[in-house]
Amino acid sequence: AAAEGGKPAWFQTYLKLTDLFANLFPLWTLVSAGVAVKSPQSFAFFSTDLFTFGLAVLMFSMGITMTLDDFKRVLTKPAAVGMNFLACYVMMPLLGLALGKAFALSPGLVAGLVLVGSINGGQASNLCTYIAKGDVALSVIMTTSTTLGCIFMTPLLCKLLLGSIVPVDAVGVAWSAVQVVLAPIFLGVALNKVAPRFCRAVEPLCPVIGIVSTVLLVGASVAQCADDILAAGLGLQIPVMLLHLLGGAAGYWLARSIGSDEVVSRTTAIETAMKSSAFGFLLASLHFGDYLARVPAAVSVVWMALMGSSMAVVWRFIPVGDGGSGAAPQGGIARAGGRGAARGSVLGSPGRAAGAHLSGGLSKGQL
């Protein structure tokens, strides 16, 4: 039987289950991290090659939900997008360096903390922005801009800030960013161009695929460093937690300082706090001479998800008080609207756009 909107009843049920599954994303993250710490061998099958492939698949799934117009739309809110870019690649790396020095971490751990601060925003921020009544379309644009920026900013920052601390292969970092980020995204965009109907047909599958992939990446990251994470104790947990907490708070007030409304400020806070920690773990594993450099990224995978989801849940119950027009609706993630609505959303209210972008959900979902 056809349900509302002409969709089969089973499909409507699937979308509702997808909503529930996505809303429990922080829980799945904690479960995966707990299993990885208690039983690291559970993720022994997740080799570096498979880890790289998993990230590439996530970025490809982001690409199939986008068009070239989405990249052009970065120019429609230059102040907010520019502020987020500077927070991501100036404030956060320096904050990571300052925290590492303040807590007297070893050179390898300092390098890892700076690396976490120097990578792009995590796509799980899109879901958290939706829950927090932020501007999901703007969140996607911010994530896209920092993701593209990581191709040159991350290796540059690593060389400038870390070259004298630990050996860093900056060229290798840049090449990995091209392989894992740029190439999969543009392959997805190209497929969306030549086969849009196919992409729309598979889009409802993306939230589950994205969340499952992300949870596996979290577990694999933690499992490879489980002993070191336990050994580092609170001396590492606290600075990693503060990196995400202080980054989110600074992102919010920086947005406010340039006259952004509550909706844009919430979005900027979440985007600044949530980093692509799994990508940072991969870069540390492949291109950093000190093994310990990957440990902060593994810890960050968990704290980043917890911090972002906590902000989202708190803000979910705090009304937007200044009449911001960008608040996302609180309906189903995949049910709210289509791509057509999403296209104009950045210029005004994202309204139904939230569901359109999040029908990719954590499609876009690497951490």
Side-chain angles (χ1 to χ4, degrees):
E4 181 182 354
K7 299 291 185 181
W10 67 265
F11 186 74
Q12 296 294 334
T13 300
Y14 166 77
L15 293 181
K16 291 178 180 179
L17 291 175
T18 299
D19 285 352
L20 177 61
F21 187 69
N23 287 335
L24 292 175
F25 164 66
L27 174 62
W28 310 139
T29 301
L30 283 175
V31 169
S32 180
V35 171
V37 168
K38 186 174 180 60
S39 179
Q41 65 272 18
S42 300
F43 292 91
F45 70 95
F46 223 75
S47 64
T48 299
D49 288 341
L50 188 57
F51 196 100
T52 304
F53 178 75
L55 282 173
V57 167
L58 288 171
M59 299 314 296
F60 177 77
S61 69
M62 177 179 179
I64 67 172
T65 68
M66 304 182 73
T67 70
L68 291 176
D69 287 340
D70 290 312
F71 295 98
K72 296 176 183 177
R73 198 168 292 115
V74 170
L75 301 176
T76 64
K77 284 193 175 181
V81 175
M83 175 66 73
N84 175 250
F85 194 91
L86 289 174
C88 181
Y89 290 119
V90 177
M91 181 189 73
M92 292 296 279
L94 294 176
L95 178 59
L97 182 61
L99 288 170
K101 297 293 187 180
F103 282 81
L105 299 180
S106 66
L109 294 179
V110 171
L113 199 57
V114 172
L115 175 62
V116 170
S118 303
I119 51 178
N120 55 295
Q123 282 71 29
S125 61
N126 304 152
L127 174 62
C128 291
T129 298
Y130 175 84
I131 296 172
K133 303 178 183 178
D135 186 334
V136 181
L138 179 61
S139 172
V140 172
I141 291 170
M142 287 178 169
T143 303
T144 302
S145 67
T146 59
T147 298
L148 296 176
C150 80
I151 296 166
F152 55 90
M153 290 301 297
T154 300
L156 176 63
L157 288 167
C158 288
K159 197 64 178 177
L160 290 177
L161 297 178
L162 301 177
S164 60
I165 298 178
V166 296
V168 178
D169 179 8
V171 174
V173 171
W175 178 236
S176 290
V178 170
Q179 290 177 301
V180 176
V181 176
L182 188 63
I185 282 181
F186 279 100
L187 283 174
V189 170
L191 181 61
N192 195 15
K193 177 71 174 178
V194 299
R197 289 188 178 181
F198 171 78
C199 291
R200 295 297 74 72
V202 301
E203 210 167 345
L205 301 175
C206 289
V208 174
I209 293 173
I211 293 171
V212 171
S213 299
T214 299
V215 168
L216 286 174
L217 290 169
V218 169
S221 302
V222 173
Q224 290 188 39
C225 306
D227 292 339
D228 297 285
I229 290 173
L230 293 174
L234 292 178
L236 178 60
Q237 298 288 339
I238 292 176
V240 172
M241 180 271 291
L242 287 175
L243 177 66
H244 296 291
L245 176 63
L246 296 178
Y252 179 89
W253 290 111
L254 284 172
R256 278 301 199 184
S257 72
I258 62 171
S260 298
D261 63 21
E262 177 68 13
V263 170
V264 172
S265 298
R266 292 183 183 188
T267 303
T268 305
I270 291 173
E271 285 294 319
T272 304
M274 301 188 74
K275 289 283 194 170
S276 185
S277 305
F279 183 51
F281 179 84
L282 177 65
L283 294 180
S285 302
L286 295 177
H287 307 299
F288 280 58
D290 193 326
Y291 167 84
L292 288 177
R294 70 187 69 180
V295 179
V299 174
S300 171
V301 167
V302 181
W303 276 112
M304 178 272 298
L306 289 177
M307 202 62 62
S309 60
S310 297
M311 286 192 292
V313 171
V314 170
W315 271 326
R316 180 183 182 91
F317 297 101
I318 300 177
V320 176
D322 55 11
S325 62
Q330 294 306 301
I333 289 174
R335 294 194 297 273
R339 295 288 300 176
R343 293 285 176 239
S345 61
V346 175
L347 298 176
S349 169
R352 295 170 61 202
H357 284 293
L358 283 169
S359 64
L362 283 190
S363 68
K364 307 171 188 175
Q366 114 242 40
L367 281 174

